Amino acid sequence: MKILVADDDLLMLKTLEFRLKKDGHTVFTTRDGREALEQIEQIRPDLIITDLMMPFTSGMEIIGSVRQMTGKRIPVIILSAMGQENVVLEAFQLGADDYITKPFSPNELSVRVRRFMV
Amino acid sequence: MTITPEHLLFATISFSAFMLILLFFMSFSLLIKNKRDKEKARWLVKTNVLITKAIFFEAEENEPFSMPINKRMRALLKKDLFRQTLINELVVTSKNLAGVAGENLAHLYNQLDLQKDTLKKLHHFSWHKKAKAIQELASLHQVEHSPALYKLTNHKNEYIRMEAQTSFVKFHGFDGLSFLNDITYPLSEWHQINLLTELSNIPATDFLGIDQWLKSNNDSVIIFALKLSASYHQFQLYDKIVECLKHPNARVRLQAIKCLKEIYEEATPFHLMSIYANEPKTHQLAVLSALKEMSSAESIPFLEKQLYSEDNQVKLAAARALYNCGPEGRQAVEMHPSASLSPWFEIIQQIKMEANK
């Protein structure tokens, strides 16, 4: 599965990349939202994992733009900090499919990603 | 005194020499700073690799966590600055990771004996180093140091005690609030919010101690205990909360009113109405807001009386509460003798609009 991971925290990005590659996925990473939108158009990922707070374009804007840009339904998992319940609700309304609250276990993420494999 | 050409020459040479020395120092310090920044960037790459490996490290069964550390890394670990960079990265990462991955970060911290650096800071005289050390211990789950942190929960420096108190709650959950038995310094409003947020991330347990804190000599502890009672609906403490309505500190009394708004029973409106007359306006408004919540028929005559207050805010709050007391209360508002005049007309319109939302 082609997965795009967007998070401005480099170490977080490396950790997710390492785990997902270990699970056999092809992983693309980006540290800012604007670049994430470019990558979505170029690589057409099967799944997007995005942090909500990112420079230039937020995770929320990414969720909002995905279907418009690609014309297809790409599942989105949000990474959010504790206490962002309202933002998570808004993200679901925009079309997000799942969310994981930080701090989270990479094993849990791995299981959640597997749910989107068809 | 006349200025001669020699004087001018001397001044020019002195000024130029001063400028040259200044330029030299600036270039030198910039050079050192750039070197440090480049070195730090190189270190960050190395610490990230080490941390990523640690996150996914799987120790042999029944074996303690012991990651292989190469020679180059061991050499770097001898540098104080490198160790601090690694600790900083471990702290940031531990905020994002839970489960085995989070535990592994703490194991790496222990394996590399990094707590020695943290403890050095904990015993440092400057408050910000102490506060940073407390954060590091809490983020990396160093529970064995909680007795040392307990001593800091009543430190004279506000930032140190706030960090120590938050960390103690992180370590021990609700039981960690035991520091409330001993603190003599006040808990700021901001810190109370932080503690409640911290507790909201932890499963609710026995809530032992709140009754003692409601009788504390430290008024901010009583206020916090009242907030806890309201948040966790501690109905068994009802009588003790009612006693707080007579507390000499006005802030305690106000918090008690707000608390009773959350955990009221049949007699609560009577308790609130009995203190109303002797309280300042802020407290009176809080009482009216609580009575609105309770919407008890017994409070209707009292609320009707408040409609004749000279203060418009009190009038509005009383009318709101009355409107919530069923048909009888609504009728009392709408049939007010001045219902068609200002400000009554506006007040009634406002309440009707709120009720229809």
Side-chain angles (χ1 to χ4, degrees):
Chain A
M1 187 154 68
K2 272 194 290 184
I3 303 176
L4 174 69
V5 186
D7 196 322
D8 57 343
D9 181 341
L10 182 63
L11 194 48
M12 209 57 219
L13 211 55
K14 291 272 168 226
T15 304
L16 296 176
E17 185 183 11
F18 186 91
R19 173 75 225 199
L20 295 168
K21 275 188 176 166
K22 217 174 153 193
D23 289 346
H25 304 294
T26 309
V27 185
F28 300 87
T29 58
T30 171
R31 289 183 74 182
D32 76 66
R34 203 163 47 192
E35 204 183 287
L37 289 177
E38 285 168 15
Q39 292 224 39
I40 290 167
E41 254 189 330
Q42 281 168 21
I43 59 174
R44 305 275 166 148
D46 302 308
L47 173 71
I48 299 165
I49 300 172
T50 177
D51 187 18
L52 282 178
M53 309 289 272
M54 275 188 303
F56 306 120
T57 306
S58 72
M60 211 68 98
E61 285 170 87
I62 293 176
I63 303 163
S65 317
V66 170
R67 202 178 294 178
Q68 212 179 342
M69 285 167 59
T70 59
K72 67 170 189 173
R73 169 115 185 73
I74 302 176
V76 181
I77 300 178
I78 316 157
L79 300 172
S80 77
M82 198 83 88
Q84 287 187 324
E85 285 82 2
N86 290 341
V87 188
V88 168
L89 277 178
E90 202 185 321
F92 272 119
Q93 279 165 356
L94 278 172
D97 297 85
D98 199 357
Y99 82 100
I100 298 183
T101 312
K102 290 179 184 176
F104 67 92
S105 148
N107 292 341
E108 185 191 342
L109 176 79
S110 175
V111 173
R112 287 188 191 235
V113 166
R114 232 173 287 159
R115 287 174 52 224
F116 292 98
M117 289 172 75
V118 192
Chain B
M1 188 186 148
T2 52
I3 298 171
T4 62
E6 285 77 22
H7 280 132
L8 280 174
L9 186 67
F10 178 75
T12 313
I13 291 171
S14 306
F15 182 73
S16 308
F18 173 74
M19 289 305 286
L20 272 173
I21 293 168
L22 193 70
L23 206 69
F24 173 76
F25 273 110
M26 278 170 63
S27 315
F28 187 68
S29 60
L30 265 174
L31 201 74
I32 290 177
K33 192 184 170 295
N34 283 345
K35 201 180 156 202
R36 268 204 189 149
D37 287 350
K38 276 183 191 163
E39 194 170 38
K40 207 177 167 197
R42 276 200 303 273
W43 285 354
L44 276 177
V45 175
K46 289 191 165 72
T47 54
N48 286 357
V49 171
L50 182 69
I51 291 173
T52 314
K53 277 184 187 163
I55 289 168
F56 297 104
F57 181 75
E58 284 172 16
E60 296 292 322
E61 211 173 314
N62 300 324
E63 287 292 318
F65 181 98
S66 180
M67 245 181 81
I69 306 289
N70 65 33
K71 226 176 174 181
R72 207 181 269 179
M73 183 55 75
R74 276 203 297 269
L76 278 172
L77 282 164
K78 285 180 184 151
K79 295 181 179 181
D80 286 354
L81 260 172
F82 179 80
R83 281 201 308 276
Q84 190 52 53
T85 310
L86 180 57
I87 294 174
N88 292 346
E89 289 300 298
L90 282 170
V91 168
V92 172
T93 314
S94 68
K95 283 177 186 156
N96 290 330
L97 294 175
V100 179
E103 283 166 20
N104 279 0
L105 294 175
H107 288 321
L108 178 66
Y109 176 79
N110 290 333
Q111 186 192 329
L112 302 179
D113 235 357
L114 296 172
Q115 70 268 63
K116 273 187 186 163
D117 298 65
T118 302
L119 291 177
K120 228 187 267 173
K121 287 197 290 272
L122 191 69
H123 297 116
H124 200 273
F125 62 86
S126 69
W127 69 266
H128 59 93
K129 290 212 169 175
K130 265 192 164 64
K132 190 169 167 52
I134 298 167
Q135 269 186 2
E136 287 172 9
L137 291 174
S139 303
L140 294 158
H141 316 293
Q142 301 297 300
V143 187
E144 67 270 25
H145 295 292
S146 65
L149 293 193
Y150 191 86
K151 287 180 191 159
L152 298 174
T153 56
N154 199 30
H155 195 275
K156 63 178 186 237
N157 182 293
E158 188 186 6
Y159 298 102
I160 293 176
R161 62 172 188 269
M162 280 201 311
E163 287 298 339
Q165 290 167 1
T166 312
S167 304
F168 214 67
V169 171
K170 256 187 199 148
F171 283 152
H172 305 291
F174 200 87
D175 293 341
L177 288 175
S178 55
F179 65 81
L180 294 173
N181 297 324
D182 301 318
I183 57 165
T184 49
Y185 292 100
L187 291 168
S188 68
E189 286 287 325
W190 170 242
H191 186 48
Q192 290 181 33
I193 294 170
N194 284 338
L195 288 173
L196 288 171
T197 311
E198 199 59 56
L199 286 168
S200 68
N201 301 327
I202 297 164
T205 46
D206 298 336
F207 307 110
L208 293 174
I210 304 183
D211 53 339
Q212 292 305 310
W213 305 329
L214 285 171
K215 291 186 282 185
S216 173
N217 292 325
N218 184 335
D219 290 353
S220 67
V221 170
I222 304 181
I223 291 172
F224 185 63
L226 286 165
K227 286 181 186 170
L228 283 173
S229 307
S231 297
Y232 295 97
H233 297 95
Q234 298 295 293
F235 283 96
Q236 75 279 12
L237 299 172
Y238 179 81
D239 291 339
K240 292 194 170 74
I241 294 163
V242 170
E243 278 173 36
C244 292
L245 290 174
K246 294 175 202 149
H247 198 277
N249 184 329
R251 285 175 55 229
V252 173
R253 295 200 304 276
L254 181 62
Q255 199 57 51
I257 297 167
K258 288 179 181 173
C259 180
L260 287 172
K261 187 179 170 184
E262 302 298 321
I263 45 171
Y264 54 87
E265 57 172 48
E266 215 179 327
T268 315
F270 295 105
H271 291 303
L272 294 177
M273 289 186 285
S274 68
I275 61 155
Y276 184 86
N278 297 322
E279 290 295 339
K281 188 180 145 188
T282 44
H283 293 50
Q284 290 184 336
L285 291 173
V287 166
L288 294 172
S289 164
L291 290 177
K292 179 190 170 211
E293 200 62 36
M294 294 163 204
S295 52
S296 136
E298 284 76 18
S299 55
I300 291 177
F302 167 82
L303 291 169
E304 276 182 307
K305 211 171 122 189
Q306 307 318 315
L307 293 180
Y308 294 92
S309 162
E310 283 177 12
D311 190 302
N312 282 345
Q313 266 184 302
V314 172
K315 271 184 200 156
L316 177 62
R320 265 196 192 117
L322 256 180
Y323 210 79
N324 228 26
C325 291
E328 201 185 330
R330 278 198 287 277
Q331 199 183 15
V333 175
E334 284 166 0
M335 302 304 281
H336 190 275
S338 315
S340 57
L341 303 173
S342 187
W344 272 107
F345 181 76
E346 289 82 4
I347 287 176
I348 294 170
Q349 292 305 313
Q350 169 73 20
I351 293 167
K352 276 185 175 171
M353 203 176 71
E354 285 172 8
N356 289 333
K357 263 184 189 173

